């Protein structure tokens, strides 16, 4: 949809609404929310109690904004705080939020379930027996903090910084904890990204220097989606509403998904390819554009690094664009519709029709790939890379209706303190075998510790449940029950999870309405800043109370992580001798610990353009403004930032190299460039890169080593992967050539849109909607196996098997099976969440492990009357336990698709049964490790990793050098 047409529709809707005498919401939503509470009435909003009719019963509320923490999108929420009781009665959307615009999916309102969950953890707990024995004792925060701080302080003082690790799943904030770790001087950040999105990140980073796309769906003419990414947590609601807006204005939607997802049901073209073949189809579309000269020739000439490709790979050819076009036709001519049809099983005529639709998009082509095809397959990073190639061919990059580099549509403000880079490198997370890994090799940690590559003194998990989420979970249990490998494990969690059972401390942290965070995400072509806050604290402060600790307003002794991390930092360095304490010290009150009001007040006042002025117009401080409204729109559109001219004052002693990269001796400006260039080694005369020369103009370009979009990745070529330096098709590990005759492919990368990985087990509304995960089979496949809906089946993997019920449906490609990954929750003994966690017996003998279900869920009495109304018993199966690790040798992504055998359940099988042999898991780990090309042998410059690649917590530059000791194998 064109932006001018969108503006016309908004104006028409406004006129129509006003003609009816209704109110059109005036805030950032810019949509028809006529009945939404206007912000001027948020201090005393009145609603009638529906159950009291016909009697009139008024409820008076304070409406307090926060943001949802039940997926990555951080949509705006308004908490309805009862003015009489002080309790939160419900959550609805915040129309002042520029991304979600007052709308929420089911997960947002379900925040109420989470904060009122009768089974939530309310007090710090310490292990009383053996790890995993299930014995706990309540302890004070002081006891827990002093013990943990002493362990960390001792490790740092003794030079054992790499024994401190923080492992996060969904961060929900922009870098707070990374800066805490940097203040400690540890390279201890670990993430879930390599079981989530590293393949997609790699595909995008090698093209544009940033690792995520930001599609402008609302203004697109053609929308091309690979996988059910809208249902897997990333910007589900903000993207979905903009896709529907575009579709209503005539945009065509193309969806590749082997399973009929909710997203696919809205598609004009739904293709269900053989898993792993997606890149072949995309390249056939690209070849169609190339062979028929339907690409944006001028954009390709100006912004692809074709000169570098010809100079390095075809030096015998004169470096002209015409010669490159000839080469381009030669490179991709084999990717015909017939080739793609053979690989994918999709009819060649359908592929041709899709290609023709793509060709009509021009620069209004939005696309997205995140998990599914990218996360499922070895070489899956080429799925994202080939998809973005369509944008690059059409010139639909940083264009209205196209795809932007994500950081251009994010806003990350400068904090009060910026600690230095850690003076160490942690090979437990960044091993030399994976120099191009997009993120930490988190899921290999048990194997690295078993090999003797290191140990952990203190290990934190936050918004993460590795035993349940990761593949090969029994290896994690083996690691966590070995105190020689992990000295102290601290689970930071608001609710019980499978990993927390093996912790030394369980520390209760707040849900989305009980904590502080700031965040900004690439939901559309704009920049915005969201503010998550403890709503009861904000409500009471609005009445004049002074709150300095969120434990004063949260239930029990639930804390928020930011205050926890500041206090822990303060105690690690009690006398300041380690140089750590200063990063947690108040500037307003020297000698005292920094508080969250000062921390966020500084950011909002000094680091957010336009916010102080907007706050002043309402006689508020910037912090008060954000507490009042919960979000701020920094910029409506960013546009083509790569075309931004480099200011003359930055161009001193300029040198332009053979590929038109521009270097200068001018110091870096105090204010970061709007489009940062990568941190590269200086040229031969010590100059730094500031941009590129395009048609005689010096402009910022892209954040790649060439400053252009990199059709040819010199990085891949130089670091041992020359055969994959261009966007090409890589046959997956589950390609038919790699399967036995009786094997099929299991897709495990999808989840239903109402669930939240492991965080939704304490959301009763969501549990009732979706609480089990049967095996999807097509009717023809089921008939071949003699299986009917509801029957038990056994799925055999490389290292074990699991047992579940079958669901026969036409919503999946024949011959492929699928199982949603967000179910199968379990608990040991009585400790746990009783609405969605089955009680199991954990069986173990040598390397053989099993889970056997003792009972499912059932009604129970609690402080919530609804727990007596539980009508379901089955909670699905924990399939991830039976998957071996499959680390992609380039990106490090775990490749989720499994080669499996599906048979009828055996006489002794029961629903939910699991069996795994961890010795087989270790063999699989070693087999995949052998496919890597380690930096020891392939580094072109003696470093561990290309310095320009993104890294969440970057060590000091000198620690990128390879040590002399060889890599362990």
């Amino acid at each position: 949809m064109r932006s001018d047409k969108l503006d016309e529709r908004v104006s028409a809707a406004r006129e129509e609404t006003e003609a009816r005498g209704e109110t059109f919401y005036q805030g950032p939503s810019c949509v028809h929310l006529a009945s939404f509470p206007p912000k001027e009435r948020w201090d005393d909003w009145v609603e009638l109690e529906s159950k009291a009719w016909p009697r009139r019963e008024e409820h008076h509320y304070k409406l307090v904004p926060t943001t949802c923490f039940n997926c990555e999108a951080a949509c705006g929420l308004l908490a309805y705080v009862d003015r009489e009781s002080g309790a939160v009665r419900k959550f609805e959307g915040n129309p002042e939020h520029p991304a979600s615009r007052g709308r929420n999916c089911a997960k947002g309102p379900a925040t109420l379930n989470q904060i009122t969950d009768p089974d939530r953890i309310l007090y710090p707990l310490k292990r009383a027996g053996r790890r995993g024995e299930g014995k706990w004792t309540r302890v004070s925060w002081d006891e827990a903090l002093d013990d943990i701080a002493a362990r960390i302080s001792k490790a740092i003082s003794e030079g054992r910084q790499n024994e401190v690790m923080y492992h996060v799943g969904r961060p929900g904030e922009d870098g707070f904890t990374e800066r805490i770790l940097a203040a400690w001087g540890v390279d201890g950040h670990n993430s879930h990204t390599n079981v989530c999105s590293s393949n997609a990140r790699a595909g995008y980073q090698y093209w544009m220097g940033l690792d995520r796309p930001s599609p402008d769906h609302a203004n697109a003419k053609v929308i091309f989606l690979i996988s059910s990414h809208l249902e897997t947590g990333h910007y589900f609601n903000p993207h979905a509403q903009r896709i529907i807006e575009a579709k209503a204005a005539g945009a065509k939607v193309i969806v590749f998904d082997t399973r009929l997802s909710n997203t696919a049901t809205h598609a004009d073209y739904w293709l269900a390819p053989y898993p792993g073949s997606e890149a072949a189809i995309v390249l056939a579309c690209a070849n169609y554009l190339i062979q028929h000269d339907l690409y944006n020739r001028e954009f390709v000439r100006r912004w692809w690094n074709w000169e570098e490709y010809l100079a390095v790979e075809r030096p015998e050819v004169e470096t002209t664009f015409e010669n490159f076009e000839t080469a381009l036709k030669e490179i991709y001519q084999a990717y015909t519709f017939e080739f793609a049809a053979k690989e994918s099983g999709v009819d060649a005529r359908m592929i041709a029709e899709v290609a023709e639709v793509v060709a009509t998009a021009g620069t209004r082509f939005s696309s997205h790939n995140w998990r599914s095809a990218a996360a499922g397959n070895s070489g899956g990073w080429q799925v994202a890379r080939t998809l973005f190639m369509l944008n690059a061919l059409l010139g639909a990059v940083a264009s209205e209706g196209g795809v932007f580099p994500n950081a251009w549509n994010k806003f990350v403000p400068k904090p009060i303190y910026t600690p230095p880079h850690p003076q160490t490198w942690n090979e437990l997370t960044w091993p030399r075998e994976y120099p191009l890994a997009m993120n930490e090799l988190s899921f290999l940690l048990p194997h690295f510790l078993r090999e003797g590559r290191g140990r952990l003194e203190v290990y934190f998990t936050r918004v993460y449940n590795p035993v349940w989420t990761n593949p090969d979970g029994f290896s994690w249990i083996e690691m966590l029950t070995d105190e020689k490998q992990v000295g102290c494990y601290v689970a930071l969690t608001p609710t019980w999870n499978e990993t927390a059972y093996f912790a030394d401390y369980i520390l209760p942290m707040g849900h989305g309405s009980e904590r502080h965070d700031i965040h900004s995400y690439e939901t559309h072509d704009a920049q915005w800043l969201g503010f998550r806050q403890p709503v009861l604290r904000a409500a009471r402060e609005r009445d004049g109370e002074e709150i300095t600790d969120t434990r004063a307003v949260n239930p029990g002794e639930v804390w928020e992580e930011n205050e926890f991390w500041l206090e822990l930092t303060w105690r690690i360095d009690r006398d300041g001798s380690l140089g750590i304490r200063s990063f947690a010290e108040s500037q307003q009150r020297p000698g005292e610990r920094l508080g969250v009001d000062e921390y966020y007040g500084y950011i909002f006042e000094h680091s957010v353009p336009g916010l102080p002025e907007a706050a002043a117009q309402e006689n508020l401080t910037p912090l008060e403004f954000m507490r009042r409204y919960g979000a701020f729109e920094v910029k409506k559109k960013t546009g083509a930032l790569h075309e931004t001219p480099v200011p003359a004052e930055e161009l001193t002693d300029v040198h332009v190299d053979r590929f038109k990269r521009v270097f200068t001796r001018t110091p870096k400006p105090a204010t970061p460039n709007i489009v940062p260039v990568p941190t590269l080694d200086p040229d031969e005369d010590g100059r730094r890169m500031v941009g590129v020369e395009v048609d005689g103009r010096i402009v910022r370009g892209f954040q790649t080593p060439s400053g252009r979009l990199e059709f040819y990745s010199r990085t891949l070529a130089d670091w041992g992967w020359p055969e994959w330096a261009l966007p090409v098709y890589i046959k997956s590990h589950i390609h038919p050539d790699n399967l036995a005759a009786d094997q099929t492919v299991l897709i495990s990368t999808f989840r239903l849109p109402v669930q939240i990985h492991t965080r939704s087990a304490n959301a009763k509304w969501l549990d009732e909607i979706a609480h089990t995960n049967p095996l999807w089979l097509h009717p023809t496949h089921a008939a071949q196996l003699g299986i009917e809906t509801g029957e038990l089946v056994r799925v055999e993997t490389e290292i074990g098997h699991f047992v579940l019920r079958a669901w026969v449906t036409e919503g999946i490609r024949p011959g492929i099976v699928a199982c949603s990954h967000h179910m199968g929750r379990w608990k040991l003994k009585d400790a746990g969440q009783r609405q969605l966690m089955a009680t199991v017996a954990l069986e173990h003998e040598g390397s053989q492990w099993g889970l056997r279900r003792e009972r499912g869920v059932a009604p129970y009495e609690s402080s919530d009357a609804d727990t007596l109304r539980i009508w379901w018993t089955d909670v699905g199966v924990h399939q991830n336990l039976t998957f071996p690790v499959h680390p992609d040798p380039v990106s490090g992504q775990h490749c989720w698709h499994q080669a499996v055998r599906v048979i009828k359940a055996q006489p002794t099988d029961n629903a939910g049964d699991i069996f795994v042999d961890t010795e087989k898991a270790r063999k699989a780990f070693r087999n995949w490790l052998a496919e890597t090309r380690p930096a020891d042998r392939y580094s072109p410059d003696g470093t561990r990793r290309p310095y320009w690649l993104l890294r969440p917590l970057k060590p000091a530059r000198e620690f990128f050098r390879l040590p002399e000791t060889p890599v362990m194998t």
Side-chain angles (χ1 to χ4, degrees):
M1 181 185 352
R2 291 183 178 273
S3 62
D4 52 357
K5 290 186 178 180
L6 177 59
D7 292 340
E8 289 173 9
R9 291 182 63 217
V10 171
S11 297
R14 187 187 303 273
E15 292 173 4
E16 181 183 340
T17 303
E18 292 173 349
R20 293 196 302 267
E22 299 174 2
T23 302
F24 192 96
Y25 194 83
Q26 302 296 315
S29 300
C30 294
V31 290
H32 180 197
L33 293 171
S35 62
F36 214 95
K39 63 182 182 181
E40 294 80 12
R41 295 174 57 189
W42 287 6
D43 280 336
D44 188 14
W45 177 251
V46 181
E47 289 189 351
L48 299 181
E49 174 57 63
S50 59
K51 295 180 181 178
W53 191 88
R55 181 172 51 86
R56 180 183 178 88
E57 180 180 317
E58 292 186 349
H59 286 289
H60 291 252
Y61 296 104
K62 274 181 289 190
L63 305 188
V64 181
T66 188
T67 58
C68 183
F69 197 22
N70 285 333
C71 87
E72 180 82 348
C75 295
L77 292 177
L78 279 182
Y80 283 60
V81 181
D82 191 292
R83 292 187 63 87
E84 184 176 341
S85 67
V88 179
R89 289 284 299 269
K90 65 178 178 178
F91 289 93
E92 291 191 351
N94 178 6
E96 293 292 313
H97 196 288
S100 56
R101 304 184 294 184
R103 301 178 173 116
N104 294 104
C105 72
K107 299 189 286 291
T111 301
L112 182 66
N113 301 160
Q114 296 173 307
I115 64 174
T116 59
D117 168 33
D119 294 332
R120 68 179 299 187
I121 302 165
L122 295 176
Y123 302 95
L125 301 175
K126 184 178 182 179
R127 171 170 61 92
R130 299 186 311 276
R131 284 186 186 164
E133 192 175 358
K135 294 182 179 179
W136 304 94
T137 182
R138 179 175 162 182
V139 296
S140 69
W141 275 105
D142 282 334
E143 180 180 342
L145 283 164
D146 285 343
D147 182 18
I148 298 165
R151 290 172 178 267
I152 295 173
S153 181
K154 188 171 188 292
I156 293 172
S157 298
E158 295 177 356
R160 296 184 286 115
Q161 291 92 333
N162 287 346
E163 293 185 14
V164 179
M165 183 176 291
Y166 160 78
H167 201 162
V168 63
R170 180 68 58 230
E173 43 94 352
D174 278 329
F176 181 95
T177 317
E178 291 170 23
R179 291 188 291 273
I180 289 290
L181 296 171
W184 296 356
V186 306
D187 183 22
H189 183 276
N190 206 347
S191 72
H192 82 300
T193 307
N194 266 324
V195 297
C196 171
S197 56
S198 283
N199 263 344
R201 290 174 188 268
Y204 290 112
Q205 177 146 5
Y206 289 128
W207 258 113
M208 61 185 180
L210 292 166
D211 66 347
R212 288 178 102 153
S214 179
D216 184 19
H217 288 314
N219 295 306
K221 186 176 179 181
V222 176
I223 299 171
F224 197 136
L225 308 173
I226 294 185
S227 87
S228 58
H229 76 275
L230 287 178
E231 297 174 57
T232 51
H234 285 268
Y235 321 138
F236 168 34
N237 167 40
H239 276 178
Q241 52 182 281
R242 288 171 171 85
I243 289 172
I244 293 301
E245 286 174 4
K247 188 172 172 61
K252 296 296 184 183
V253 178
I254 302 164
V255 174
F256 284 16
D257 198 334
T258 306
R259 178 187 68 93
L260 180 61
S261 64
N262 286 6
T263 308
T265 64
H266 292 277
D268 296 280
Y269 297 90
W270 169 44
L271 277 65
Y274 182 89
S277 68
E278 292 83 358
I281 305 176
V282 176
L283 287 171
C285 295
N287 183 49
Y288 175 77
L289 298 177
I290 292 167
Q291 302 300 335
H292 292 83
D293 297 320
L294 296 173
Y295 58 94
N296 188 326
R297 188 171 186 269
E298 187 64 5
F299 182 85
V300 172
R301 181 189 68 81
R302 297 179 75 244
W303 285 112
W304 285 32
N305 70 332
W306 57 268
E307 290 181 90
E308 186 175 22
Y309 167 71
L310 289 179
V312 177
E313 297 295 331
R314 301 198 178 197
E316 73 284 358
V317 175
E318 183 182 0
T319 307
T320 66
F321 185 63
E322 291 72 20
N323 283 341
F324 173 70
E325 289 183 297
T326 299
L328 195 63
K329 284 181 164 61
E330 293 174 359
I331 293 166
Y332 291 101
Q333 63 184 353
Y335 291 106
T336 62
F337 297 140
E338 291 71 26
F339 169 80
K342 181 176 182 294
E343 288 296 299
S344 67
V346 176
D347 188 272
R349 290 169 297 180
M350 175 63 72
I351 298 173
E353 189 172 342
V354 166
E356 290 167 0
V357 171
V358 169
T360 68
T363 59
R364 295 182 180 275
F365 177 80
S366 72
S367 62
H368 202 287
N369 170 237
W370 204 234
R371 295 187 179 125
S372 192
N377 299 285
S378 59
W381 50 276
Q382 287 282 24
V383 176
R385 196 154 180 243
T386 55
L387 180 61
F388 189 77
M389 184 178 176
L390 296 181
N391 285 86
L393 282 166
L394 294 168
V397 179
S399 61
E400 195 166 77
V403 171
F404 291 73
N406 72 312
W408 298 8
N409 290 337
K410 281 174 63 77
F411 180 78
V412 182
K414 185 178 179 181
I416 189 170
Y417 295 120
T418 303
H421 296 288
Q423 302 289 304
T424 183
W425 185 286
N426 197 335
E427 292 206 3
L428 288 175
T429 47
W430 297 93
R432 280 174 260 176
E433 291 95 336
Y434 297 91
L436 304 182
M438 284 298 106
N439 278 81
E440 301 90 349
L441 269 296
S442 58
F443 62 100
L444 300 186
L445 182 62
H447 296 283
F448 289 159
L449 292 180
R450 176 179 282 272
E451 287 186 341
R453 298 193 187 202
R455 70 175 297 273
L456 298 177
E457 176 59 29
V458 179
Y459 174 63
F460 296 95
T461 56
R462 171 185 173 265
V463 197
Y464 199 44
N465 183 8
V467 166
W468 186 91
T469 303
N470 287 349
D472 191 18
F474 285 120
S475 289
W476 283 83
I477 293 176
E478 290 176 345
M479 177 190 88
L480 292 173
T481 51
D482 185 347
E483 295 186 42
K484 293 180 180 178
Q485 292 185 24
V486 180
C488 179
Y489 166 39
V490 183
L492 307 176
T493 177
T495 188
W496 289 96
N497 65 54
E498 288 79 353
T499 312
Y501 294 127
F502 303 96
D504 297 290
Y505 287 101
I506 299 178
L507 302 183
M509 296 296 166
H511 287 289
S513 62
E514 300 167 337
R515 53 181 295 125
H516 286 95
D517 296 303
I518 55 174
H519 32 251
S520 179
Y521 298 121
E522 55 279 9
T523 55
H524 60 296
D525 182 21
Q527 291 183 336
W528 56 268
L529 188 66
F531 188 36
R532 184 175 293 129
Q533 62 177 337
V535 296
L536 295 181
R537 173 177 179 154
R540 286 166 61 172
E541 287 178 336
R542 201 182 291 181
D543 288 337
E545 288 190 56
E546 183 179 352
I547 309 293
T548 59
D549 190 318
T550 55
R551 287 175 293 184
V553 295
N554 283 344
E557 292 181 7
V558 171
W559 213 355
E560 67 160 288
E561 279 141 61
N562 287 4
E563 288 179 346
F564 164 78
W565 290 120
L566 289 168
E567 181 62 26
L568 182 61
T569 302
W570 197 246
R571 298 189 188 207
I572 287 171
D573 189 14
R574 290 185 177 274
D575 60 3
S577 61
L578 296 177
I580 294 172
R581 191 180 181 92
S582 60
F583 295 108
E585 184 173 6
S586 169
Q587 293 183 358
Q588 298 174 358
R589 304 176 312 281
E592 296 183 28
R593 179 175 66 75
L594 179 67
V596 290
D597 279 355
E598 182 181 351
Y599 176 83
Y600 289 109
Y602 177 94
I603 289 174
F604 297 148
E605 184 174 348
H606 295 92
S607 303
V608 185
L611 176 55
E613 293 76 12
Q617 289 179 3
E618 302 197 26
N619 294 316
L620 300 172
T621 67
L623 177 60
E624 289 170 339
F625 182 97
M626 294 299 284
R627 289 210 185 280
R628 171 70 63 163
Y629 301 122
F632 180 71
E633 190 170 52
V634 180
K635 191 174 184 179
K636 283 189 179 294
K637 285 188 175 291
T638 59
L641 298 183
H642 56 294
E643 297 277 8
T644 305
V646 177
E649 57 268 24
E650 290 188 43
L651 298 175
T652 301
D653 192 11
V654 169
H655 169 67
V656 181
D657 73 4
R658 64 183 295 202
F659 300 124
K660 297 184 176 62
R661 299 187 303 171
V662 179
F663 294 83
T664 177
R665 293 191 190 279
T666 309
K668 288 186 178 181
T671 303
N673 296 329
I674 193 168
V675 186
V677 293
T679 307
L680 302 174
D681 289 324
D683 71 1
E684 60 275 11
D685 293 320
R687 302 179 186 88
R688 66 180 184 89
M689 183 177 168
V690 294
V692 292
E693 183 182 88
V694 179
D695 293 341
R697 297 173 62 239
I698 298 177
V699 294
R700 288 295 186 202
F702 293 91
Q703 200 172 340
T704 58
S706 68
R708 286 175 163 78
L709 294 175
E710 298 207 342
F711 162 74
Y712 169 67
S713 173
R714 183 76 175 269
T715 299
L716 284 165
D718 287 351
W719 285 78
W721 300 98
E723 68 271 36
W724 293 342
L726 301 180
V728 295
Y729 170 53
I730 301 174
K731 289 185 176 181
S732 171
H733 66 293
I734 47 86
H735 188 276
D737 293 350
N738 299 324
L739 300 187
D742 60 345
Q743 285 184 315
T744 186
V745 178
L746 168 68
I747 295 177
S748 63
T749 50
F750 77 96
R751 67 173 171 87
L752 303 183
V754 295
Q755 288 290 1
I756 317 160
H757 303 301
T758 71
R759 279 178 289 156
S760 56
N762 68 331
K764 62 182 180 182
W765 296 336
L766 305 183
D767 294 345
E768 184 171 21
I769 296 171
H771 43 257
T772 189
N773 57 344
L775 187 73
W776 295 37
L777 302 95
H778 192 272
T780 57
H781 191 191
Q784 292 171 2
L785 298 173
I787 293 170
E788 296 182 359
T789 292
E791 282 192 274
L792 286 180
V793 294
R794 177 188 280 200
V795 179
E796 296 180 343
T797 70
E798 184 179 354
I799 63 173
H801 69 259
F802 61 96
V803 180
L804 75 169
R805 299 196 181 277
W807 184 47
V808 181
T809 172
E810 292 187 357
I812 190 167
R813 179 182 178 80
I816 307 300
V817 297
C819 183
S820 173
H821 78 268
H822 58 280
M823 297 299 181
R825 303 297 310 283
W826 51 269
K827 58 187 174 70
L828 302 171
K829 299 186 178 179
D830 297 324
Q833 205 291 326
R834 290 174 283 177
Q835 296 170 29
L836 204 67
M837 299 178 85
T839 303
V840 303
L842 184 62
E843 301 170 347
H844 176 214
E845 182 177 350
S847 65
Q848 297 187 345
W849 289 82
L851 281 186
R852 185 164 293 275
R853 183 166 300 172
E854 296 183 332
R855 59 183 180 275
V857 298
Y860 64 99
E861 188 171 357
S862 73
S863 58
D864 183 352
D866 281 345
T867 60
L868 287 172
R869 302 184 178 98
I870 292 174
W871 53 267
W872 60 93
T873 58
D874 187 20
V875 296
V877 63
H878 182 186
Q879 60 176 330
N880 292 9
L881 280 171
T882 69
F883 301 163
V885 296
H886 291 161
D888 183 273
V890 174
S891 72
Q893 163 85 52
H894 170 63
C895 305
W896 281 100
H897 290 342
Q898 302 290 313
V900 300
R901 292 176 176 85
V902 179
I903 61 174
K904 286 192 172 186
Q906 303 302 294
T908 57
D909 286 343
N910 294 293
D913 280 359
I914 300 287
F915 171 79
V916 166
D917 187 336
T918 54
E919 184 53 47
K920 291 182 179 179
R922 286 188 280 277
K923 180 180 178 181
F925 157 72
R926 290 190 289 268
N927 289 340
W928 280 71
L929 193 68
E931 298 300 314
T932 63
R933 298 179 186 178
D936 286 305
R937 296 197 295 273
Y938 291 93
S939 173
D941 57 5
T943 61
R944 300 171 180 268
R945 171 182 178 81
Y947 193 69
W948 78 274
L949 288 182
L950 298 176
R951 194 180 187 288
L953 182 61
K954 219 166 194 176
R957 184 66 177 262
E958 58 268 29
F959 292 92
F960 274 72
R961 302 299 304 176
L962 278 166
E964 294 182 2
T965 53
V967 66
M968 295 187 66
T969 57

